Structures are given as structure tokens and as C-alpha cells.
Amino acid sequence: QVQLVESGGGLVQAGGSLRLSCAASGNISGINYVGWYRQAPGKQRELVAVITRGGSTNYADSVKDRFTISRDYAKNTLYLQMNSLKPEDSAVYYCNEQDTIWSYWGQGTQVTVSS
């Protein structure tokens, strides 16, 4: 089992920045995929950014050049640096980590961007 705890969400004005964190604990040795997803009211959960075990990163087109995903292996923590935030970035953000069998989700953290 892997436990994920997100933090760092909040209310920010358009153009501002936030950094989300996702602390992982438990049996994380088999994790080979980590990522951030988001879900806005009335919409499906969507991929924001991912890091594969090989270190490759991928971003949704809507956040490229504004968001950066990173991982601190020593702290077992995943980050999402979000810059130049837009009102359409408002959503609940979830971290996700996967091994070969299971997919684990955090509880989510709310990000609200005011115009």
C-alpha cells in the first residue's frame, strides 16, 4: 500500500503561482509512474503532468511552459510548480502514483484562481 497526501492548494489571483506537494509513504519501491491530475466541477478528471520511472515528463498542452512537475526522491515527495495561473486552472488537483499492479490517489487539494 502507498499513501499520498497533497498540500499547497489555495486561492490565488490570475497570473500568480502555487506549488503543490504530494508526500508518499508506504511501499513505494515499486512505483514507476507519478503524475498530477485535476478535476473541475462538471468535468472529467484530466492529466496535467507525469514523470515516468525513466524520468520522462509529459504535460497537457494547456499547462505547457507554465507548470513544472518534479520529484524529490530523498523526501519521497512529488511537486507541481504552477506559474501564470489562469481561472481555467481552477480545479481539485490529485497526485497519482502507480506500480505494476495498483494505482494510488491522494485526497486532492483545491486550487482556485480568481480573475
Side-chain angles (χ1 to χ4, degrees):
Q1 286 287 336
V2 173
Q3 295 78 43
L4 304 174
V5 179
E6 298 118 332
S7 60
L11 174 64
V12 63
Q13 288 188 333
S17 298
L18 284 174
R19 189 177 79 157
L20 305 184
S21 300
C22 175
S25 61
N27 186 17
I28 61 173
S29 60
I31 296 298
N32 55 24
Y33 171 101
V34 296
W36 288 96
Y37 292 72
R38 67 186 181 187
Q39 188 167 18
K43 295 187 177 181
Q44 289 189 331
R45 191 170 297 188
E46 63 176 359
L47 173 69
V48 176
V50 300
I51 305 175
T52 67
R53 191 171 183 86
S56 300
T57 58
N58 288 297
Y59 295 90
D61 288 343
S62 59
V63 306
K64 279 181 181 177
D65 301 323
R66 298 189 299 121
F67 290 13
T68 302
I69 188 172
S70 62
R71 190 179 185 188
D72 186 328
Y73 288 89
K75 296 182 178 180
N76 296 327
T77 301
L78 182 68
Y79 300 100
L80 184 68
Q81 178 66 44
M82 305 185 295
N83 299 327
S84 302
L85 282 161
K86 305 175 181 180
E88 51 263 44
D89 293 319
S90 297
V92 178
Y93 283 70
Y94 299 89
C95 64
N96 173 253
E97 300 199 0
Q98 300 177 17
D99 56 29
T100 55
I101 300 175
W102 302 105
S103 178
Y104 305 95
W105 293 91
Q107 81 285 358
T109 185
Q110 177 71 48
V111 172
T112 303
V113 184
S114 63
S115 57

